[in-house]
Amino acid sequence: MDIIWSTRILDSFMKRNKQLPWGDFHSRLHWNYENGCMMTAVERVWRATNDPIYFDYLKTNMDLFIQDDGHIHTYRLNEYNVDQLNQGKTLFTLYEETGEEKYRIAIEQLMTQLRSHPRTAEGGLWHKKIYPFQMWLDGVYMACPLMTAYADIMGANEWFDEAVHEILLMEKVSRDPETGLLYHAYDESREQAWADPVTGCSPHFWGRALGWYVMAITDVLDTLPLDHPKRGQVIGIFYRVCEAIMKVQDKATGLWYQVLNLPEQEGNYLEASASSMFVCALAKGARLGYLGSHALEAARRGHDGIVSQFVKVREDGSYALEGICKVAGLGGQPYRDGSFEYYIGEPLRTDDPKGLAPFVMACLELEAQMTEITEITV
């Protein structure tokens, strides 16, 4: 295990993308969850290395949005879009490190959205206002770690309960009892063409969607109090979902498929972002004792597979991560029906933040454990 992949791959990205908007992905500056993925990875590398270059990169790019009065440039609360919460996660670090009031005000704007966000009858967050009565696995990652960070730092303990409720409800409505995997999304109304008329679930297990979910749980557990009455239940769910994930890991490569349970179906392919997310969650779960040593072994196999199959060296000697699904959603216009053909038909990108950021975080998790072993040995 090379213990410097986290900085090696992130430094390459930062060299090519010095400031938002990142030209390969966006033509204009706008607040969005992809930015948030990279900002979280940058923050974690800064904490691991204590190198100010990473904090400066984080602050410089976030300050393109956070104005002096705390207003968030291009953010629109009334969209009620849980994706828009993800970029706010690093605001807590910026507020704690600088003490600047503008960051606290920006955080409160996002919490205002959460306080009034539309919900299902059981209290689950709609994924977006334009997707009524729908819960997506993706949304758990976008919203729940923000809730628990707010609860932890601002002393608003009710948000611990909200995050736990979202995690438990999402598993309840989307779990397949046969495989233990979670379907991409759930429509309470059963109105969508993609929704099963009985269960309300979408028809397939999309890798990245489940990756968002398990990464969200590990992040929530970072701040969820040890004596929270449902902490054990959250860990239990994490354990059984991860067991299901490891059962569909490709034995030959250590990677995971775009559609998780159909490896032999024509057109399905091994995908980098889901594989990176699973490596991150499994390695972190093993490090913190939520999972057994077999999860760490699975994470190491996955990491080796990502490096050998998806990491490429550019002509200038920098590194890139290939094989990342650009996007996969449900509904909308043109309509996305959640079929197998839809998932495998989405284009692939290089260095997409939705894959590169989880890979950086996965590397950090494995590197942390290598460092611990080295320290103990020495």
Side-chain angles (χ1 to χ4, degrees), residues 263-323:
E264 297 178 358
Q265 192 154 327
E266 185 177 355
N268 204 3
Y269 59 88
L270 299 166
E271 198 273 330
S273 66
S275 297
S276 297
M277 290 176 177
F278 294 149
V279 169
C280 181
L282 293 172
K284 187 173 181 179
R287 176 173 65 84
L288 296 174
Y290 310 139
L291 306 174
S293 60
H294 63 301
L296 180 57
E297 294 169 4
R300 287 174 173 159
R301 291 197 306 273
H303 174 272
D304 290 346
I306 295 166
V307 171
S308 63
Q309 187 144 331
F310 296 127
V311 174
K312 306 299 178 184
V313 182
R314 295 176 181 262
E315 290 184 359
D316 63 359
S318 65
Y319 296 87
L321 185 69
E322 299 180 344

Side-chain angles (χ1 to χ4, degrees), residues 78-99:
N78 289 334
E79 288 182 358
Y80 288 108
N81 178 351
V82 294
D83 285 346
Q84 299 303 315
L85 301 170
N86 191 49
Q87 191 173 342
K89 293 175 182 175
T90 55
L91 291 171
F92 297 98
T93 290
L94 291 170
Y95 179 52
E96 287 189 306
E97 291 296 316
T98 69

Side-chain angles (χ1 to χ4, degrees), residues 33 53 61 66 90 111 124 225 227 255-256 266 288 298 339 361:
Y33 75 102
I53 190 173
N61 280 281
I66 310 304
T90 55
M111 295 307 298
D227 61 354
L255 301 170
W256 282 266
E266 185 177 355
L288 296 174
S339 64
M361 292 187 280

Side-chain angles (χ1 to χ4, degrees), residues 55-68:
F55 185 83
D56 292 345
Y57 186 85
L58 168 64
K59 188 175 187 302
T60 296
N61 280 281
M62 289 296 286
D63 281 349
L64 296 172
F65 299 93
I66 310 304
Q67 300 178 1
D68 290 342

Side-chain angles (χ1 to χ4, degrees), residues 43 52 59-60 97 123 194 202 217 239 270 281 299 310 328 364 370:
E43 176 192 7
K59 188 175 187 302
T60 296
E97 291 296 316
W194 53 257
S202 57
I217 293 179
Y239 180 87
L270 299 166
F310 296 127
L364 285 173
M370 290 296 294

Side-chain angles (χ1 to χ4, degrees), residues 90-201:
T90 55
L91 291 171
F92 297 98
T93 290
L94 291 170
Y95 179 52
E96 287 189 306
E97 291 296 316
T98 69
E100 293 183 38
E101 187 69 4
K102 67 179 183 178
Y103 299 121
R104 187 196 65 79
I105 295 171
I107 291 168
E108 291 296 345
Q109 289 178 64
L110 301 177
M111 295 307 298
T112 296
Q113 175 187 328
L114 276 171
R115 291 185 182 99
S116 57
H117 199 95
R119 296 172 181 263
T120 67
E122 292 185 274
L125 298 172
W126 290 9
H127 193 64
K128 299 180 184 181
K129 180 178 67 177
I130 61 172
Y131 299 141
F133 303 102
Q134 298 172 37
M135 297 177 67
W136 296 14
L137 292 174
D138 320 27
V140 179
Y141 181 81
M142 306 303 163
C144 291
L146 183 84
M147 294 179 187
T148 52
Y150 185 82
D152 182 52
I153 293 170
M154 303 300 185
N157 289 347
E158 66 273 16
W159 288 104
F160 287 130
D161 298 334
E162 289 285 346
V164 167
H165 180 72
E166 189 77 7
I167 289 169
L168 300 185
L169 180 59
M170 189 75 246
E171 198 253 7
K172 172 187 172 184
V173 300
S174 67
R175 184 175 187 267
D176 172 50
E178 182 176 342
T179 64
L181 298 170
L182 308 187
Y183 290 103
H184 184 178
Y186 162 75
D187 175 17
E188 180 185 50
S189 70
R190 277 68 165 174
E191 293 177 353
Q192 290 297 310
W194 53 257
D196 183 284
V198 177
T199 67
C201 292

